[in-house]
Amino acid sequence: MSTLAADHVATPINRSDPFALDILADPHAFHRQLRDAGPVVYLDSLGVYGMAGYEQVHAALTDWQSFQSAAGVGLSNFRFEKPWRPRSLLLEADPPHHDAPRRVLTKVLGPRALTRLREKWIEDADRLVDDVLATSNTVDAVPALAQAFPLRVFPDAVGLQQEGRENLLPYGNHTFNAFGPHNSLVEAGQARVAELSGWVNAQCARTMLTDDGFGAQIWAASDRGDITPEQAPLIVRSLLTAGVDTTVNGLAAVLYAFAAHPDQWQRVRADPTRARTAFDEAVRWESPVQTFFRTATSDVRIGETIIPDGEKILMFLGAANRDPRRWTDPYAFDLHRDPSGHVGFGMGIHQCVGQHVARLESEALLTALATRVSTIEFAGEPRRHLNNTLRSWESLPLRLGT
Ligand code: OVM
């Protein structure tokens, strides 16, 4: 970490690959190195810059004029490389093109729209937890809860047909891998890309969607002229890409957090309204979306470093969310803290448009658990699922005391 790049005086160089499997499995020591190295580091293995401090990540995310998304938020630079799929109109766009799709989706997924779903989702969560507990008190919380609940409520809310829903998680897993370098994780997904993309893209057509879901509301926005009919299917695709794996891993994160901090579960038991803070604290603590890139739109100065126009910068959301300069005792999952301001949902104009949906899913599931489950303990070794972007679990064996 002491070496300096010759052409970037005073910019610390880090030679580790952020997407190496051992770092993905346990990124915390690497994140500490990055934060301690300085405001910006040069990541030699990828040929990109990186930011890991809260102050810098927050500042860059709120400065879309200097740090664009339109060149892609993965390693691939769309100025030079063709995207592997048509670019997202939200994630991979900036104003002015970003504005209309964002406005439409903000309304479709907004708190007002969700009041219609709230009671139903609470009932669905109650039923799921009752069914799980009726079968056994030891469960693998990944398939049984973290995957089962979003898959029970979200595809219906979008208005998807039943057939092929098993494609949603593998498609999302591959898309989130594809933001990283072409490593073994991306390679392992290649075989199914055409099949999975074919299914997902087909579901975005108006005729494939029910007439009362998020998908139909996006198409209705094109009837009103708020977006074009060409934009509608790609906005539906954003729901199918970003709406499942993210919430699955957010729920896995909060369940893991409670198993690892039994005293915090007792706080939710005593006051189930703490479920909402618990989810945001888990999103801070685990950062289910660990990283996204931005691209410099001109020579941008950060401290002593000039990031040249067109260079990629890797934003370490997970590292920023545990920056001791911003957070007291950041490695603790603590319901007494105020987690607001975390960058786990991003920040600025691209901040997660589905965050109210995610919070409602979590509130429904945690409330159902809080009224039935007195203790959450590990019933075996949890196992990570590695992904280039997502902090994920393969297996979370839990004993749910009733
Ligand atoms: C999209 C998209 C894909 C992945 C992630 C995301 C976290 C959005 O297709 O718009 O946001």
Side-chain angles (χ1 to χ4, degrees):
M1 292 302 295
S2 57
T3 37
L4 301 176
D7 52 340
H8 311 287
V9 176
T11 303
I13 294 184
N14 190 296
R15 302 198 186 279
S16 300
D17 173 4
F19 302 95
L21 301 188
D22 59 328
I23 289 187
L24 293 177
D26 184 5
H28 299 302
F30 176 58
H31 288 172
R32 279 196 182 89
Q33 274 182 17
L34 295 177
R35 280 193 306 256
D36 292 345
V40 190
V41 299
Y42 188 73
L43 298 164
D44 203 39
S45 71
L46 298 172
V48 304
Y49 294 80
M51 297 184 194
Y54 179 88
E55 185 191 332
Q56 290 76 26
V57 169
H58 185 280
L61 291 177
T62 46
D63 181 5
W64 59 267
Q65 293 93 337
S66 304
F67 300 100
Q68 65 172 174
S69 291
V73 298
L75 177 62
S76 173
N77 190 329
F78 295 174
R79 293 196 197 181
F80 313 115
E81 287 180 88
K82 186 174 140 66
W84 73 274
R85 58 173 199 163
R87 60 183 80 192
S88 164
L89 302 183
L90 289 131
L91 185 74
E92 295 157 343
D94 290 304
H97 311 288
H98 175 262
D99 299 343
R102 174 74 191 204
R103 208 157 28 231
V104 166
L105 210 47
T106 298
K107 182 122 187 274
V108 169
L109 302 178
R112 290 289 311 277
L114 297 185
T115 57
R116 203 171 55 85
L117 293 168
R118 185 186 178 82
E119 259 182 67
K120 163 99 173 41
W121 285 14
I122 288 171
E123 272 174 41
D124 283 336
D126 286 344
R127 262 198 296 139
L128 174 65
V129 173
D130 280 338
D131 290 350
V132 164
L133 294 174
T135 308
S136 171
N137 281 69
T138 62
V139 295
D140 188 338
V142 170
L145 296 169
Q147 295 181 344
F149 188 59
L151 287 173
R152 178 175 294 212
V153 298
F154 187 73
D156 283 346
V158 173
L160 289 188
Q161 66 173 17
Q162 290 294 331
E163 193 189 332
R165 291 183 178 192
E166 68 280 2
N167 292 323
L168 288 167
L169 283 171
Y171 179 78
N173 184 58
H174 182 71
T175 307
F176 282 97
N177 274 328
F179 294 120
H182 194 113
N183 60 12
S184 61
L185 297 173
V186 176
E187 198 50 45
Q190 289 301 346
R192 295 193 67 197
V193 171
E195 168 210 349
L196 296 172
S197 301
W199 181 82
V200 164
N201 294 340
Q203 309 316 307
C204 299
R206 187 167 212 166
T207 52
M208 297 298 282
L209 296 158
T210 62
D211 57 15
D212 58 352
F214 298 146
Q217 289 165 40
I218 291 166
W219 277 100
S222 80
D223 294 338
R224 293 192 302 268
D226 296 346
I227 49 171
T228 68
E230 290 73 35
Q231 289 178 311
L234 279 168
I235 300 171
V236 177
R237 193 193 66 176
S238 284
L239 292 183
L240 304 186
T241 311
V244 188
D245 297 64
T246 48
T247 50
V248 165
N249 289 301
L251 294 176
V254 75
L255 294 170
Y256 170 68
F258 283 125
H261 302 79
D263 52 322
Q264 302 300 306
W265 181 245
Q266 294 315 315
R267 284 190 182 161
V268 175
R269 289 267 296 159
D271 177 7
T273 65
R274 289 188 174 124
R276 277 183 92 86
T277 311
F279 184 63
D280 268 82
E281 171 63 353
V283 171
R284 180 199 68 81
W285 185 67
E286 274 278 276
S287 302
V289 175
Q290 285 274 299
T291 47
F292 269 133
F293 291 81
R294 292 291 189 265
T295 306
T297 57
S298 66
D299 295 354
V300 183
R301 187 185 182 92
I302 306 280
E304 303 289 285
T305 301
I306 306 235
I307 302 176
D309 179 27
E311 294 295 315
K312 286 267 171 176
I313 308 105
L314 184 48
M315 307 284 160
F316 289 89
L317 309 177
N321 279 338
R322 291 186 179 212
D323 185 347
R325 291 169 195 82
R326 169 62 180 80
W327 308 96
T328 306
D329 202 3
Y331 286 71
F333 171 78
D334 179 3
L335 298 191
H336 279 331
R337 92 164 73 239
D338 176 7
S340 62
H342 73 74
V343 291
F345 287 128
M347 196 52 70
I349 64 165
H350 291 285
Q351 192 182 36
C352 180
V353 73
Q355 59 185 282
H356 306 290
V357 180
R359 289 203 186 95
L360 182 57
E361 288 184 27
S362 165
E363 185 190 352
L365 185 62
L366 291 181
T367 307
L369 286 166
T371 53
R372 293 165 174 79
V373 171
S374 56
T375 55
I376 300 179
E377 301 168 314
F378 290 115
E381 273 297 306
R383 267 186 296 118
R384 288 279 175 191
H385 170 77
L386 301 188
N387 180 283
N388 282 334
T389 303
L390 299 168
R391 188 111 175 101
S392 178
W393 290 106
E394 177 74 39
S395 176
L396 214 44
L398 298 183
R399 190 172 305 106
L400 305 175
T402 49

